[in-house]
Amino acid sequence: MAGDLRSDHWRMARAALRLGLPILIAAGLGAAIWFGLPLDVRARMALIVFALAIVGWCLTDIDDTLIALAAAAALVLCGLTPARNLHAALGNELTWLLIGAFIIAAVLRASGLTERLASAVLNRARSVRALFLATTGVIVATALFVPSTSGRAALLLPVYLALAAAIEDGRIRRALALLFPTVILLSAGGTLIGAGAHLIAIEMIQRSGGPGQGYLGWLLLGMPLAILASFGAAFIILFAFLRPAERAQVIRLPAATAEPLSGRQRYVGALVALVVAGWCTQPLHGVDAALVTLCGAIGLTLKPFAPISMKQAVKSVEWQLILFLAATTLMGQALIETGAASGLLQPLLAALPSDVLAHPAAVAALVTVVALLSHLLITSRSARATVLIPLLAPPLVTLGYDFGAIAILIVMGTGFCQTLPVSAKPVALYADLEHETYRPADLVRLSLLLLPMMGALLLVFSLWIWPLAGLSLR
């Protein structure tokens, strides 16, 4: 009886701590911002709303979207941004592009075309090493037409389960389980629709007066980095988690079906190819990318050609993500417009040695480290973009750096988020399957190996590769 009472008291104490600690931290941050920062009232109010949202994201179990919507509502109610900005965030081109892409992904999933094509490619592999490299190529290719990392993780899950069922060795299955979410996350940076954080970055760049990157522009900037990061991660997993004999082990997968593609699958494949071609050739035909996507979504849900109806496809749209992106975009905009972001970091930047920030390499290294490690505190990739872009980019702009280059460097760095199961939805999805996949210790080990590779790639691209394409830090 006494033991039960102590156990009950301990549970109550932990519950009180979980509730009270975020409240105390939020109150402390609010007081520190209001009384400690020499900013005008609007900037301090915007920073307080922002700080409360970060506390909610990092320290509570409250849904991320609910926190973002509450913060957006608070900004409007406090008069820090007009309500029309929130309405505009829900109806801009990028939002409709994402909605249409979700519909297209739902049709692809229903048609089974992705699994057929993946099976045709992967069945050519004759060794574990070849299978891992072929799988990496297939996962990277899905970033071209499937939106969001969670959407791709769900689409590719049947492919992983089929491969895992054909592999008896538990060590190889563990390495394969690590490969899927890792490549999904790292390859997302290759396309505009790969992650919601990209849409937030483009919206903020455009509002800052910079040129927005279209699908083709982002593809040219991001896909080379995504390919190198993805295949680099594949080699790290192969050599860090498998022995030489395991890498060379002959593997026999179930034979791919010999049946030809059905009429519906050919129809879906042709239309998806046309949509991707429309995205890539937008500078030539001038048709809005969102309009191209919606036309493709309409064509792909026409009966009797489509595997599912528009009504069924719309149900697969991640409306929660759409609302989250709209709310966080508004938060970032308010931080920039009120001057809160610049006012917060200017004193910190001024405390650094004067010659450090004069060197683009030092600035790139600073931004890279912050972006790569931010997932340890903020688990949502879109939230990380919302927090880091308005905080880092505006103060650096005053020192002569380009807002767009800083923003894209940040969002590319936020794709590294494999350290914890809660760091990204794909990592959590593949960790929580019926059969054993990987342990938290495996994720930490993999992240420690990936971190220097990602840091080096981001520095090389931001300092030498992207400037060749017109995206220079200065």
Side-chain angles (χ1 to χ4, degrees), residues 119 123 162-163 165-167 252-257:
S119 176
N123 273 273
L163 293 175
I167 297 174
R252 292 179 176 84
L253 300 175
T257 178

Side-chain angles (χ1 to χ4, degrees), residues 1-15:
M1 181 66 72
D4 292 340
L5 287 176
R6 283 195 297 270
S7 178
D8 290 339
H9 287 317
W10 177 242
R11 282 197 296 268
M12 292 174 63
R14 285 190 299 176

Side-chain angles (χ1 to χ4, degrees), residues 300-363:
L300 286 167
T301 52
L302 285 176
K303 291 293 187 179
F305 311 105
I308 57 175
S309 65
M310 175 64 79
K311 182 178 181 179
Q312 293 170 310
V314 167
K315 292 180 181 178
S316 71
V317 176
E318 294 186 22
W319 295 108
Q320 188 173 4
L321 175 61
I322 302 295
L323 293 173
F324 184 83
L325 293 178
T328 51
T329 298
L330 187 73
M331 292 170 61
Q333 180 184 348
L335 281 176
I336 294 172
E337 291 179 350
T338 61
S342 297
L344 178 64
L345 276 199
Q346 283 288 10
L348 298 178
L349 296 178
L352 295 174
S354 58
D355 58 337
V356 170
L357 296 179
H359 298 288
V363 170

Side-chain angles (χ1 to χ4, degrees), residues 43-97:
R44 281 182 287 167
M45 291 174 66
L47 273 178
I48 289 173
V49 173
F50 191 61
L52 294 179
I54 294 175
V55 171
W57 285 330
C58 297
L59 299 178
T60 73
D61 296 329
I62 302 173
D63 184 81
D64 289 346
T65 302
L66 180 59
I67 293 171
L69 289 174
L75 291 171
V76 174
L77 291 173
C78 293
L80 301 176
T81 188
R84 64 174 178 272
N85 286 352
L86 179 59
H87 306 156
L90 283 168
N92 64 23
E93 172 193 352
L94 299 176
T95 299
W96 284 102
L97 172 65

Side-chain angles (χ1 to χ4, degrees), residues 178-195:
L178 286 169
L179 181 75
F180 268 78
T182 299
V183 177
I184 287 170
L185 292 168
L186 296 181
S187 62
T191 64
L192 180 60
I193 62 173

Side-chain angles (χ1 to χ4, degrees), residues 45-422:
M45 291 174 66
L47 273 178
I48 289 173
V49 173
F50 191 61
L52 294 179
I54 294 175
V55 171
W57 285 330
C58 297
L59 299 178
T60 73
D61 296 329
I62 302 173
D63 184 81
D64 289 346
T65 302
L66 180 59
I67 293 171
L69 289 174
L75 291 171
V76 174
L77 291 173
C78 293
L80 301 176
T81 188
R84 64 174 178 272
N85 286 352
L86 179 59
H87 306 156
L90 283 168
N92 64 23
E93 172 193 352
L94 299 176
T95 299
W96 284 102
L97 172 65
L98 198 57
I99 291 172
F102 275 121
I103 294 173
I104 292 173
V107 175
L108 272 171
R109 191 179 302 116
S111 71
L113 181 61
T114 303
E115 294 174 45
R116 283 286 305 272
L117 296 179
S119 176
V121 173
L122 299 180
N123 273 273
R124 298 176 183 273
R126 293 295 177 263
S127 68
V128 170
R129 183 190 296 107
L131 175 65
F132 274 53
L133 297 180
T135 300
T136 300
V138 169
I139 297 174
V140 171
T142 60
L144 294 171
F145 49 82
V146 181
S148 85
T149 53
S150 57
R152 292 168 62 214
L155 180 71
L156 290 165
L157 184 58
V159 177
Y160 165 75
L161 292 175
L163 293 175
I167 297 174
E168 297 180 358
D169 192 307
R171 286 172 53 85
I172 297 176
R173 280 204 308 268
R174 179 185 61 172
L176 187 66
L178 286 169
L179 181 75
F180 268 78
T182 299
V183 177
I184 287 170
L185 292 168
L186 296 181
S187 62
T191 64
L192 180 60
I193 62 173
H198 304 166
L199 307 184
I200 292 173
I202 291 298
E203 182 72 17
M204 290 186 183
I205 292 171
Q206 291 174 337
R207 291 187 180 277
S208 72
Q213 298 289 343
Y215 185 89
L216 180 60
W218 193 287
L219 189 72
L220 295 175
L221 289 173
M223 188 53 77
L225 173 60
I227 290 173
L228 289 174
S230 298
F231 280 94
F235 278 107
I236 286 175
I237 292 172
L238 278 170
F239 284 87
F241 290 88
L242 297 178
R243 304 183 183 97
E246 292 168 334
R247 294 194 294 270
Q249 182 176 314
V250 176
I251 190 167
R252 292 179 176 84
L253 300 175
T257 178
E259 296 180 5
L261 294 176
S262 67
R264 282 182 173 177
Q265 288 175 330
R266 289 196 296 270
Y267 175 78
V268 169
L271 270 187
V272 171
L274 283 175
V275 170
V276 175
W279 288 337
C280 293
T281 56
Q282 185 184 4
L284 298 177
H285 54 67
V287 179
D288 187 274
L291 183 58
V292 171
T293 311
L294 290 177
C295 289
I298 292 170
L300 286 167
T301 52
L302 285 176
K303 291 293 187 179
F305 311 105
I308 57 175
S309 65
M310 175 64 79
K311 182 178 181 179
Q312 293 170 310
V314 167
K315 292 180 181 178
S316 71
V317 176
E318 294 186 22
W319 295 108
Q320 188 173 4
L321 175 61
I322 302 295
L323 293 173
F324 184 83
L325 293 178
T328 51
T329 298
L330 187 73
M331 292 170 61
Q333 180 184 348
L335 281 176
I336 294 172
E337 291 179 350
T338 61
S342 297
L344 178 64
L345 276 199
Q346 283 288 10
L348 298 178
L349 296 178
L352 295 174
S354 58
D355 58 337
V356 170
L357 296 179
H359 298 288
V363 170
L366 172 65
V367 173
T368 297
V369 169
V370 172
L372 290 175
L373 299 181
S374 60
H375 72 281
L376 298 175
L377 291 177
I378 306 172
T379 56
S380 167
R381 185 175 186 173
S382 298
R384 292 196 292 275
T386 304
V387 171
L388 296 180
I389 293 175
L391 286 183
L392 291 176
L396 292 174
V397 167
T398 63
L399 299 176
Y401 292 93
D402 182 72
F403 188 104
I406 296 296
I408 290 178
L409 176 58
I410 289 171
V411 293
M412 290 298 185
T414 59
F416 172 76
C417 47
Q418 293 89 351
T419 308
L420 303 169
V422 298

